[in-house]
Amino acid sequence: KLDAYYLKIALLHTHQELKKSFDTCVEVLIQLGETIPATVDREVFVKRAENVLAKLNVMTENDMKTMKSPFHVSLLRFYDRACFTSYFVQLPMMKWLACRMVEISLEHGFSKYSALGLMWFTMILAGDLIYDVHAGYRVGKIALKLLKRFDANNLLPNAYLVYYSFTAVHIEPLQSCADMLKRGFEIGLSIGDTQVALLNGVHYIQKCFLSGTNLSILKKECDYQMRLIETYFQSTTKMYVLALQETISMLITREVLSNSTLLDQSKELEFSQAIIFHNVIQNFWLGRWERCLYYAKRSSAPSGK
């Protein structure tokens, strides 16, 4: 029965019913005995996350005993899916869920899904709530070793996506992170996990863009990934690749595209940090200084996330 629920949640996500996918995940977790809050108090959560980090800091790999309970392994599997979906629809809740994943692992032992929980937790450590990027980097390395211990190569695309997109970039060169994201893209496609593969692909292009890769090469990469997105109906990533395509084309031609979708964006996209980022880049290179400054201020404004 749990496998059927998991498949349903994954299908809902694939068909862009993200809120419904997340709500179903939460319902399952509640049925499994978990208490999921409707909102997260920032100060209370920071103390909780710092307490979890303190416990991780005194642990060695030998202290991370293998989880024996199939129930808790399954529980973490649903928590991981909830983290994945909440990133798109309710980011503050993702942080709470990630912290809970690590708490369960500290209490009941570690599994391959614990490694993903640690990866999600690195986003908290590298984010504005705690901002201890070195701790996040170290925890991520431990998570990668756990995946190796459990021979969980099928979860590497998930781990690479989180770690090299959001945490390792603070420590490692951008191009090194791009190479690992490309690896996540390739592994994901090879095992049939096109959803995670293409998300790795988006971040691969983004890191290449930021590291100064030739724009013509990146344009070809965008075109290739867009064909894959259309083939596999992965609309979650389509918006991001379209944004990259548009920005890259504008930088190549130095002209506003006649079919521009970002500079006159819809309200739905207006508050997306990814779209704001592209608006900053586009307006800067087009010489629209006031609009560039406007979007830059919005990008740095506190969001509660």
Side-chain angles (χ1 to χ4, degrees):
K1 187 175 181 180
L2 287 177
D3 285 342
Y5 270 112
Y6 190 85
L7 178 60
K8 177 183 178 181
I9 290 165
L11 289 173
L12 286 170
H13 190 119
T14 300
H15 289 88
Q16 281 294 285
E17 296 187 61
L18 302 181
K19 183 65 167 60
K20 191 172 182 180
S21 176
F22 175 71
D23 290 343
T24 304
C25 232
V26 170
E27 289 172 12
V28 172
L29 289 170
I30 291 173
Q31 289 297 316
L32 292 174
E34 292 293 293
T35 301
I36 311 297
T39 59
V40 179
D41 182 272
R42 182 186 178 96
E43 292 186 7
V44 173
F45 173 76
V46 169
K47 291 180 181 178
R48 184 174 183 174
E50 288 175 340
N51 182 55
V52 169
L53 177 60
K55 292 179 180 179
L56 288 174
N57 283 338
V58 298
M59 291 189 76
T60 66
E61 289 180 57
N62 292 331
D63 296 325
M64 295 181 171
K65 305 302 181 183
T66 300
M67 184 177 284
K68 302 295 184 181
S69 165
F71 168 79
H72 288 101
V73 172
S74 184
L75 186 66
L76 287 183
R77 186 186 183 206
F78 278 94
Y79 262 109
D80 172 62
R81 173 52 68 167
C83 282
F84 183 61
T85 306
S86 64
Y87 175 79
F88 297 97
V89 296
Q90 201 170 343
L91 187 55
M93 186 56 66
M94 184 277 290
K95 298 173 183 179
W96 186 94
L97 295 165
C99 193
R100 179 62 183 146
M101 286 185 76
V102 182
E103 288 175 334
I104 292 171
S105 299
L106 289 169
E107 183 177 355
H108 299 283
F110 288 77
S111 71
K112 61 183 181 181
Y113 297 110
S114 301
L116 296 183
L118 289 173
M119 282 304 188
W120 290 114
F121 192 67
T122 68
M123 288 183 64
I124 301 171
L125 298 177
D128 61 348
L129 290 180
I130 296 178
Y131 196 67
D132 189 341
V133 294
H134 291 282
Y137 186 71
R138 183 181 64 81
V139 170
K141 289 296 184 183
I142 293 172
L144 290 175
K145 290 180 180 178
L146 279 175
L147 288 175
K148 186 175 182 179
R149 183 212 289 186
F150 293 112
D151 196 25
N153 291 333
N154 63 310
L155 296 182
L156 285 176
N158 306 65
Y160 289 172
L161 173 63
V162 176
Y163 189 52
Y164 292 104
S165 296
F166 303 105
T167 305
V169 289
H170 295 277
I171 305 293
E172 297 188 13
L174 279 172
Q175 193 54 57
S176 296
C177 293
D179 291 343
M180 296 306 297
L181 288 163
K182 185 176 183 180
R183 182 65 181 143
F185 169 72
E186 293 168 344
I187 295 172
L189 288 181
S190 71
I191 63 176
D193 192 348
T194 54
Q195 186 177 59
V196 176
L198 290 169
L199 285 169
N200 271 278
V202 168
H203 284 278
Y204 162 66
I205 296 173
Q206 183 208 52
K207 301 303 181 285
C208 286
F209 174 77
L210 293 174
S211 63
T213 301
N214 182 278
L215 293 176
S216 297
I217 293 174
L218 290 183
K219 187 176 185 301
K220 291 179 181 178
E221 186 67 33
C222 284
D223 293 342
Y224 167 61
Q225 292 206 25
M226 186 57 71
R227 290 195 296 271
L228 291 176
I229 288 169
E230 298 292 349
T231 299
Y232 294 109
F233 306 102
Q234 294 295 330
S235 52
T236 301
T237 55
K238 187 173 183 178
M239 178 187 73
Y240 298 102
V241 176
L242 283 172
L244 283 162
Q245 277 185 320
E246 182 172 304
T247 298
I248 290 167
S249 295
M250 282 187 175
L251 291 181
I252 290 173
T253 63
R254 298 295 177 91
E255 296 177 356
V256 178
L257 302 181
S258 59
N259 60 340
S260 173
T261 59
L262 295 183
L263 294 180
D264 297 308
Q265 57 187 290
S266 68
K267 289 183 179 179
E268 181 180 359
L269 301 183
E270 188 175 4
F271 297 99
S272 164
Q273 288 297 304
I275 300 304
I276 291 173
F277 164 79
H278 284 283
N279 271 296
V280 171
I281 298 295
Q282 290 183 15
N283 282 293
F284 176 82
W285 287 106
L286 292 172
R288 298 178 173 183
W289 316 122
E290 291 186 1
R291 295 190 66 167
C292 175
L293 181 60
Y294 165 74
Y295 285 112
K297 287 181 177 178
R298 287 188 51 187
S299 178
S300 60
S303 62
K305 294 183 179 180

